[in-house]
Amino acid sequence: MSLLPAVRTRDEADLYLELHPCARCGSMEATWTGTATAQGSRPAYRYSGRCVECQEQREFVFALPDGRTTPADAGPHPTTRFGGPQPSALLDPGEWSLVADWCGEAAEVAERQGDDAEAAGLRWTAVAAWEEIGKFLPDGGDAVPAAAFWSTRGRAVYDREPGRFRRRRIEVVRDFHLDHMPWSPS
């Protein structure tokens, strides 16, 4: 198993695992166990588990930043939920955009069903995903550069609608989710 880029927080690792279904059957469900490990002299963290559908053994090994022995806990605000000020090395802006869209759509369903707690949690995740997209903006730049999209899935999102990665659009959509929060999670 090759070493993946550094994972910043447990929430980022969980999201990565959810976005990478079982290669054998396509199921996204697995029961994961995390353990500290190393790849050569570099500290790493291994997630292993079995697919609940086909029982295929799955494993991902993430590098860890700054000599950590485990991924960090999520921060208290959307800007720190998935990591600090640096952009993700695991998910590109297009993938973060998909997460934000999925959470925004699910929040609307939860709101229609009267589940304000679920809706708020989903909107909070959408806000955090938009914050992650913003971390790819160059200082003083107006848009996320095309070179920031390295995954097939993320590149497809960018190619379909590059305008969604402009600074103003990122801020407007993030603020929309904040404005439609049924209540603020603690």
Side-chain angles (χ1 to χ4, degrees), residues 47-182:
Y47 284 88
S48 58
R50 248 183 224 293
C51 173
V52 297
E53 295 295 323
C54 72
Q55 302 303 307
E56 178 82 0
Q57 182 65 35
R58 301 180 62 207
E59 180 178 276
F60 294 93
V61 181
F62 300 99
L64 290 169
D66 306 323
R68 296 186 61 90
T69 57
T70 62
D73 290 330
H77 186 271
T79 59
T80 58
R81 171 153 181 207
F82 292 110
Q86 298 301 317
S88 176
L90 288 176
L91 303 172
D92 71 19
E95 292 173 301
W96 286 112
S97 174
L98 289 171
V99 169
D101 290 348
W102 294 331
C103 289
E105 291 167 10
E108 290 175 10
V109 171
E111 288 163 357
R112 284 193 299 272
Q113 295 172 343
D115 190 344
D116 286 350
E118 179 71 10
L122 288 161
R123 287 221 184 266
W124 201 244
T125 302
V127 168
W130 282 106
E131 290 285 349
E132 288 300 320
I133 295 166
K135 293 175 186 179
F136 287 91
L137 288 163
D139 288 341
D142 184 46
V144 175
F149 299 84
W150 64 79
S151 72
T152 302
R153 180 175 29 211
R155 186 68 194 186
V157 172
Y158 177 78
D159 289 343
R160 241 184 348 264
E161 193 178 357
R164 79 181 319 190
F165 299 98
R166 299 187 65 75
R167 181 180 301 276
R168 181 70 183 130
R169 176 105 178 254
I170 293 166
E171 292 168 352
V172 165
V173 177
R174 178 204 59 210
D175 291 350
F176 170 85
H177 289 293
L178 286 170
D179 291 344
H180 287 83
M181 190 88 56

